[in-house]
Structure formats: structure tokens, C-alpha cells
Amino acid sequence: MLMFIFIVTPSNASMNMQTYIVHMDRTKMTTTTSDRWYKSVIESVNELFDQEDHESEKPELVHVYKTAISGFAAKLSTKQVESLKRLDGFISATPDEMLALHTTHSPQFLGLEPGKGLWSGSNLESDVIIGVVDSGIWPEHVSFNDIGTSPVPSKWKGECEEGTKFSKSNCNKKLIGARAFFEGYEAAVGKINETEDYRSARDAEGHGTHTASTAAGNLAHASIFGLAKGLAGGVRYTSRIAVYKACWSQGCASSDILAAIDQAIADGVDVLSLSLGGSAKPYHSDLIAIGAFQAIKNGISVSCSAGNSGPSSSTVSNTAPWIMTVGASYLDRSFEAIVELGDRQIFEGSSLYIGKVLKQLPLFYGDLRAAFCIDGSLKKNLVKGKIVICQRGITSRAEKGEVVKSAGGAGMLLINSVNEGEELFADAHVLPASTLGAIAGKAIKAYLNSTNKPTASITFKGTVYGKPAPLMAAFSSRGPNRVGLDLLKPDVTAPGMNILAAWPPSTSPTQLKSDKRTVLFNIASGTSMSCPHVSGLAALLKSVHKDWSPAAIKSALMTTAYVHDNSNQHILDVAFSTPTNATPFSYGSGHVDPQKASDPGLIYDITPQDYQNYLCTLNYSASDMALFAGDGFKCPKASSTMEPGDLNYPTFAVNFKKNSKSNIVTLKRTVTHVGIPNVTYTVQMTEPDRVSVMVEPQVLRFKKPGEKLSYKVTFMQKEGFMVQGGSFGVLEWVYLNMYHVRSSIAVTWI
């Protein structure tokens, strides 16, 4: 049975009536058709109404659901709902909600509203082209049609390349370019198997379709199995899309990625989005960093995912300073699946499975391979009809459910280890299942040891809004930045957990071959999902500030980011089983705030020459420098007195020596005024633990936009021991309550 949302229609005659979504057990059907059965149910309630409830109107059937769920919608009073509960076959009655049309759900969470601010008509009309380097696209999807779209801009030089099941006609005024890059891939793994993938820009994985629509997909009615229902659309949903397929079934060759970036620059994209990457490496060995540098030299903003190797430290990738490196965090939406143990302990889990309550059934938890529910590890005589407990790891989450189902299991509890903390992925499992955090996992194991007949039930609650958010996702890769300790990475965080976006109908929601279900929209998680959100935001800011550099756009998003959730508490990190504040090593500057970023007050601008001078401070060889600056480039003499930390970055990464008693670091910054004339900013400091901070000057007075002023910050270690794991603070330039230009500070002892 599937959850859904529909519009409340309150009675004019009585405020006592409300529309409810009623779930019924189809196996209890007493008539030949569901329509007749539901009508008979309403008639039964009518009879009870005549006998007991004379204050309310008669119940009214609003709609019968035949596919989304087994049930109906009806206008009922609270007394009539109580009467309904007495009938055989009743499962639940959920009050309907009045919801405004919105995206599902991240742009709304980001504060974007139709017709206002960054989503105003004039801003959305300007042509911005987002290039997506990924696994391709499903061009026929409703998210990419060009109805009502203006002609392709004359500046566009790209093409629609033909290939397997992809022709020039698959491109249109929305999807204006599509290319495939596979030479490097085929050189490494052999020719592409065209029974499993398309040797063209068509997407066989789903990843590229999902990311492209997140950045720039059209507004479209969307849901998955009726969950997360609403109007879905990309962050900059009127942007043009150009697709560069460089990722295939076994990965993405760096050479192909670089070729894709190179071609995108030549084609004329305005923003590049890359939800991919490997382990962090020196910039001169990182082809993404090299290609991205050429892009920013051409005025193209580049966003990349931070990686999914958290919560381990120093795992962040795509760390070049000219790249916007994006971490992942939660929305205020969840998909609850409640687990109740036989001893009445209750735990909140997560699942996209929709169906009737899985009543108390025996639990099974195996040893060794069976504990991880690896293929072939479960014996049918031991698990048939039981709820199987599976430990995360080794195989995919959905694959574990497939193994349990094939062995005859009735359901699955997928439990986290301590390392995975309270992370709750919402997966489209092939059987009744719930993902549970490490706390629940520990309690369940203790319960198994306390009884000879352990049981559990699972109740699927569907879509729930209003959860504490944002929260940092445990999987999101963390700093410190091992390639350059002088740079704080990631830069920002954005929605990346349980994100609904477009999906190829040829690919099942679980990507399992045995799963024959088809969907047009799917839920996915990862920094791959957060990255295109920021790419879309860069496109929005580029529309408003056409003269801003990529660094200016990046600075605006960073210095206006926030670090508190929707209850005004510090953002928490779900990697920990006890409430623990997240740090700049996970969220960088904080969670992006689009509206504030459109008017940041001050920016930290950086030119390509500044980046080259920064590379000079890293003592790169002439051949290394040539990768970025071209042949014949020579580092300026002034760079010999520069420190890497002097790059005009919007955050501060300070490194103290472990054994020194007189750690002092002074860094310089220059801010450009982009706000209203005649303003005076004053500095406000939240000092890192065991560190004193001095800022000179403490006041910055600007007369007109475009004016630049510089300041110095001196960090001094106080007496005492160093802080394990880093010490964190904030430097903020404030003008009244209008501008708060915020810079994260991270101090480490190396």
C-alpha cells in the first residue's frame, strides 16, 4: 500500500469534519470490488452515525484509491473515525494536510519561493547553462521537456551527439547538448557492454538523471510510490542543461572526465556540476582540479561532491580552492518505519516500503556472513516467515533485502554499526524493512539475548515533515584537508540525504536486476545529491550578479551559510550515537542560504592569478605549474614571502605545531564591498578553545560598492594542552542586523 497526499476539503457546515486518508486491509474485502466495499464501509459508519453521532454531518466518500494505496479518502468527524476503527479491515486513518505547491522538498527547505527573490520571474528568465558531468541522462523524462522554453541561446556551441538509442532529436531547447566520453574507460576495462549500458549519453544508472534534474529539472508533479508527493523541480529549474557522460557501469576514467570538462568549456556552459571524485591528491595530480581550474579561468563556476567516506577524518576529496566542495546534510523530511520489539521497546527507523503493518513476527539474527545477509548465507528453514536482522556493510542495503526475500524472510531490520551512527537511509526495499541506527541496533541485540522467542513488528508511517534539520550526514566526507592543511574543506553543506529527483523508467529504484518496478522519480542519498543543489544555486546567483567571478559566487554562499537547525540549536552530526555538535570539518562554512547569498554585503574575491600565486607557495615545479598557468609561467618574487594561508579564502585553517609553546599565525584577507553605500562593519569573534584571536583593524568603513579593504588576523595559542580533533571559532563582520559576513575558523595541531 502506498502513501500519498491530497487536498483537504473542510466542510462549510461544520468545522468538526475533516478529510482523512483511510488505509484498509484488502484481504478483509467483503465485496467483489473495492469501490463497493468502501461504500459499504461508509454506509456502516452512517448507521453508527445515525445511532450515536447527531452533531456531525454524515460521512462523505471523497476518493477511492486503487493503486497508490488500498483505501479511500473521506470527510469524517473524530467520532466517526472512532466508529470506523471498530470495523474489520481497518488499518489506519491519517488526517490530511493542506500543503502549498512546492518542490519535494529541498528548494523549499532552502527558502526558495515561487515568484520571490531568486525565484522571481526576471531572474529565472535569463539564460544560464549548467553542464553536468555524470552517467548521462534520460532525455524523454518530463523533467527535461522544453514546453514553453525560449530558443537556444546563440552563445551555445555544443552538440547533441548520436549513439546507442540516442539521436539528435533527443535534445531540445531544455536539454541543449549531450555527449559521451568513453575512450579512457574502454581502454581500461574493455568495450562497453551495450546490453548493460548505452554507448551514448543515455543514462542506464540513474545517477546522472537524478543530479541533472536536481540542478535544473523542470517543475513536475512527483513522488515515489506516492511518498514525498509534490511539485518537484531543480534549484534553477529554468536553466538549460548540457550533459557530458563520463561515468559507466564500472566507474569514471579521469581522462574521460577531463575531456568532458574540456569540451564543456568549449561548448559555453556557465556552471559545471561534478558529483564524482576519488581520493584526495595533490592538485597537480588531480585531473578534476586541473580541468576545473581552466573552467574558472573562463568564468565557469565548478561544484564538486565532497565524497561519501565519512565520518572518518581527512577523507574529503575535490579540495582544490577554486572548486566549491559540497558536504551532505538532512532535510526536515523523513520516511518513518516504526519498529516495536516484543518487550514493547519502540524505535524510529526509515523506509520507502509502503504496505500494511508487519505484525509481531519471530526475529532471526545469524552469525558471521549471515549477520550481513550476504547472498547464500541465509538458510530458508531458519528464516522463513521471520524478520531477519541484517548488519550494514559488505553488500548494498537493497541487496540484503533481496537476499532475505529470496530465503523466505518476511521482513528485514537493517541495523547500523557504531561507525554509521544514527544514519537513516530511506530505501525502496523489495520487502517490508526498516533501517535503524546504532542505538536501536545495540538494544535489539540485547533483547535477542534476553528471550528465547524474540519478536518484532514494523509499521510504515510514510512521509513525515518537521524533523530537526539540517543534520550532518554520517557518510559525508570530513576534513582536515590532507592535501592542503591551509584550506578548510568542505566549503559548505547542502541537502543530500533522501533526495527525490528524476529517474530513468528503465532502471529499478533499487538498481537490482530482480526488481522489476519502474519509477519516474527516486530517492537517493550522497554528496552526489548535495552537489547539484549548489550548482543550481550558483546558476541562480549568476543570473542576479552577471559580473561576479566564480570566487565571488562561492564566497557569497560560504559567508552567508548558517550553522543552526530549525529549532535554533547547533547543527548536530548523526555520525554519533549521542547528540554531538557538527564542526567545520563536516559542514565547512555551514548550510547554504540562497536568499542571503544573493546579497552578502562583502565578498572574498580571488582571481586566477591569485590561485596561481597560491600554487607557487606549494613549491610546485615548473612542469606542475604549467598544468595550471601554461608554459613559460614563472612565480612572482613576491610569492616567496607568501604563505599558503594567505590565499584570500572566506574561511581560516590555522595550523599550530604540536610541540611549540609559542604558536602564532598571522593571516591576511581582503574583502570587497558589494552592498549598499556608506556602511561600517565591526568585527565579532567567537574564539576557538585555547586560542586567542586579534583582528586589525576591528572596523571597516566602505563608501561605495566595489571598494576593497584589507585586515589581518593573528591567532595565538594560549597556555595549556592542544585540543584533540581541532578547535573551532567564527570571525564575523557585522553591519547592524543587515549583514553578517561569517568565516569559520578551524585550528589544528600538526
Side-chain angles (χ1 to χ4, degrees), residues 454-482:
T455 63
S457 66
I458 310 176
T459 304
F460 302 99
K461 296 291 188 180
T463 314
V464 177
Y465 294 92
K467 308 295 287 186
L471 304 169
M472 282 310 303
F475 63 75
S476 189
S477 290
R478 315 297 169 99
N481 172 13
R482 66 180 183 183

Side-chain angles (χ1 to χ4, degrees), residues 48 121 201:
L48 292 168

Side-chain angles (χ1 to χ4, degrees), residues 44 184 221 238 261 295 333-334 384 466 483 493 583 586 600 622 680 731:
S44 298
H221 292 283
T238 58
I261 296 172
R333 178 185 66 196
S334 64
K384 187 175 181 180
V483 175
T493 187
T583 75
S586 61
T680 299
L731 183 154

Side-chain angles (χ1 to χ4, degrees), residues 310-637:
S312 299
S313 63
S314 298
T315 51
V316 63
S317 62
N318 294 319
T319 59
W322 45 87
I323 290 174
M324 175 64 101
T325 310
V326 188
S329 44
Y330 283 64
L331 297 168
D332 61 346
R333 178 185 66 196
S334 64
F335 304 92
E336 290 185 1
I338 307 301
V339 174
E340 182 174 356
L341 303 182
D343 64 357
R344 300 296 179 90
Q345 290 188 80
I346 296 175
F347 301 99
E348 181 183 311
S350 181
S351 181
L352 295 178
Y353 185 87
I354 295 298
K356 62 184 179 181
V357 174
L358 198 63
K359 298 179 180 179
Q360 289 286 329
L361 291 174
L363 287 170
F364 173 83
Y365 185 47
D367 297 326
L368 302 175
R369 293 175 73 249
F372 289 91
C373 300
I374 297 169
D375 189 24
S377 67
L378 300 177
K379 296 181 180 179
K380 290 189 177 183
N381 63 316
L382 295 178
V383 306
K384 187 175 181 180
K386 297 180 180 179
I387 296 176
V388 180
I389 299 167
C390 299
Q391 192 76 45
R392 273 184 58 191
I394 303 178
T395 56
S396 74
R397 301 183 303 274
E399 188 177 343
K400 294 177 190 296
E402 179 184 43
V403 170
V404 172
K405 184 178 181 180
S406 65
M412 176 178 69
L413 301 183
L414 184 59
I415 59 175
N416 289 352
S417 67
V418 173
N419 290 337
E420 290 138 358
E422 299 308 300
E423 195 90 281
L424 295 179
F425 288 97
D427 294 310
H429 294 290
V430 295
L431 83 171
S434 178
T435 299
L436 295 164
I439 294 173
K442 183 178 179 180
I444 290 169
K445 291 175 183 177
Y447 168 63
L448 292 172
N449 293 326
S450 70
T451 178
N452 292 325
K453 294 183 178 180
T455 63
S457 66
I458 310 176
T459 304
F460 302 99
K461 296 291 188 180
T463 314
V464 177
Y465 294 92
K467 308 295 287 186
L471 304 169
M472 282 310 303
F475 63 75
S476 189
S477 290
R478 315 297 169 99
N481 172 13
R482 66 180 183 183
V483 175
L485 290 171
D486 46 87
L487 285 174
L488 177 58
K489 289 282 183 169
D491 293 308
V492 292
T493 187
M497 187 68 178
N498 299 331
I499 303 301
L500 182 74
W503 198 253
S506 64
T507 304
S508 75
T510 59
Q511 296 180 297
L512 298 172
K513 290 183 178 180
S514 65
D515 185 0
K516 303 305 179 184
R517 296 173 296 176
T518 62
V519 295
L520 285 178
F521 294 86
N522 197 14
I523 294 282
S525 299
T527 54
S528 286
M529 283 66 247
S530 57
C531 171
H533 281 90
V534 175
S535 302
L537 292 179
L540 284 171
L541 293 181
K542 209 171 188 73
S543 301
V544 177
H545 302 286
K546 296 178 174 58
D547 59 337
W548 276 12
S549 68
I553 290 172
K554 182 177 174 181
S555 172
L557 287 166
M558 292 173 67
T559 61
T560 57
Y562 59 89
V563 296
H564 291 86
D565 66 17
N566 49 11
S567 64
N568 205 34
Q569 300 298 309
H570 195 90
I571 294 174
L572 297 178
D573 192 336
V574 303
F576 301 93
S577 296
T578 55
T580 303
N581 287 346
T583 75
F585 284 152
S586 61
Y587 57 61
S589 295
H591 192 283
V592 288
D593 187 332
Q595 291 301 149
K596 287 186 177 179
S598 67
D599 184 20
L602 303 175
I603 57 171
Y604 293 81
D605 208 357
I606 308 175
T607 67
Q609 181 68 49
D610 294 332
Y611 287 125
Q612 291 170 182
N613 292 343
Y614 162 77
L615 293 174
C616 289
T617 69
L618 303 181
N619 298 317
Y620 278 11
S621 68
S623 58
D624 291 338
M625 288 300 302
L627 295 169
F628 302 95
D631 292 332
F633 175 82
K634 292 183 179 180
C635 289
K637 293 181 180 180

Side-chain angles (χ1 to χ4, degrees), residues 5-79:
I5 299 168
F6 86 103
I7 297 174
V8 179
T9 53
S11 168
N12 292 326
S14 174
M15 295 304 292
N16 192 34
M17 303 293 286
Q18 183 177 356
T19 305
Y20 288 82
I21 302 107
V22 180
H23 293 239
M24 301 293 289
D25 184 351
R26 189 174 288 160
T27 63
K28 303 292 185 180
M29 189 183 297
T30 57
T31 59
T32 55
T33 67
S34 58
D35 297 67
R36 290 183 180 178
W37 184 39
Y38 299 145
K39 287 178 182 177
S40 69
V41 168
I42 291 296
E43 288 171 0
S44 298
V45 175
N46 259 324
E47 292 174 6
L48 292 168
F49 158 78
D50 289 332
Q51 297 170 16
E52 304 173 3
D53 187 1
H54 301 288
E55 297 178 2
S56 304
E57 295 178 17
K58 288 187 176 183
E60 178 183 345
L61 191 65
V62 176
H63 196 81
V64 172
Y65 296 94
K66 299 178 181 179
T67 304
I69 64 165
S70 173
F72 58 90
K75 291 203 301 185
L76 302 164
S77 69
T78 53
K79 290 183 179 179

Side-chain angles (χ1 to χ4, degrees), residues 76-311:
L76 302 164
S77 69
T78 53
K79 290 183 179 179
Q80 289 163 359
V81 172
E82 291 302 313
S83 298
L84 188 61
K85 291 179 180 179
R86 304 178 203 170
L87 301 179
D88 191 29
F90 173 84
I91 295 176
S92 68
T94 306
D96 195 20
E97 298 178 81
M98 177 64 78
L99 301 177
L101 286 177
H102 58 75
T103 61
T104 104
H105 165 69
S106 43
Q108 183 197 21
F109 184 74
L110 291 169
L112 297 170
E113 298 181 53
K116 297 181 180 180
L118 290 173
W119 268 16
S120 64
S122 58
N123 187 38
L124 293 174
E125 287 172 3
S126 61
D127 267 318
V128 179
I129 303 166
I130 300 178
V132 182
V133 180
D134 213 296
S135 67
I137 197 166
W138 195 265
E140 295 87 358
H141 199 284
V142 64
S143 294
F144 311 121
N145 71 47
D146 65 352
I147 297 173
T149 306
S150 60
V152 177
S154 58
K155 69 175 183 178
W156 178 242
K157 301 179 181 65
E159 293 183 7
C160 193
E161 293 181 350
E162 297 192 332
T164 308
K165 296 188 177 180
F166 205 103
S167 66
K168 292 186 181 298
S169 63
N170 285 127
C171 289
N172 55 31
K173 291 178 288 185
K174 174 72 174 182
L175 175 60
I176 62 174
R179 301 178 187 268
F181 302 84
F182 45 73
E183 291 81 0
Y185 177 82
E186 289 191 334
V189 303
K191 191 168 182 178
I192 293 163
N193 183 349
E194 296 192 53
T195 64
E196 296 180 353
D197 204 343
Y198 303 99
R199 205 166 179 264
S200 69
R202 185 172 290 277
D203 185 12
E205 302 290 323
H207 193 277
T209 300
H210 198 282
T211 57
S213 68
T214 300
N218 295 325
L219 294 176
H221 292 283
S223 68
I224 175 169
F225 310 138
L227 291 167
K229 194 171 184 180
L231 195 64
V235 172
R236 215 284 188 174
Y237 61 89
T238 58
S239 287
R240 319 281 183 163
I241 298 172
V243 167
Y244 301 86
K245 183 176 178 179
C247 296
W248 308 85
S249 61
Q250 295 183 49
C252 326
S254 294
S255 57
D256 292 338
I257 295 169
L258 185 60
I261 296 172
D262 183 68
Q263 187 62 62
I265 295 169
D267 288 346
V269 302
D270 299 300
V271 175
L272 263 175
S273 187
L274 294 93
S275 291
L276 47 84
S279 59
K281 55 179 69 70
Y283 310 130
H284 61 75
S285 301
D286 185 344
L287 292 184
I288 294 177
I290 293 168
F293 186 75
Q294 303 309 316
I296 66 103
K297 285 173 70 175
N298 284 272
I300 300 168
S301 294
V302 182
S303 302
C304 292
S305 47
N308 301 328
S309 299

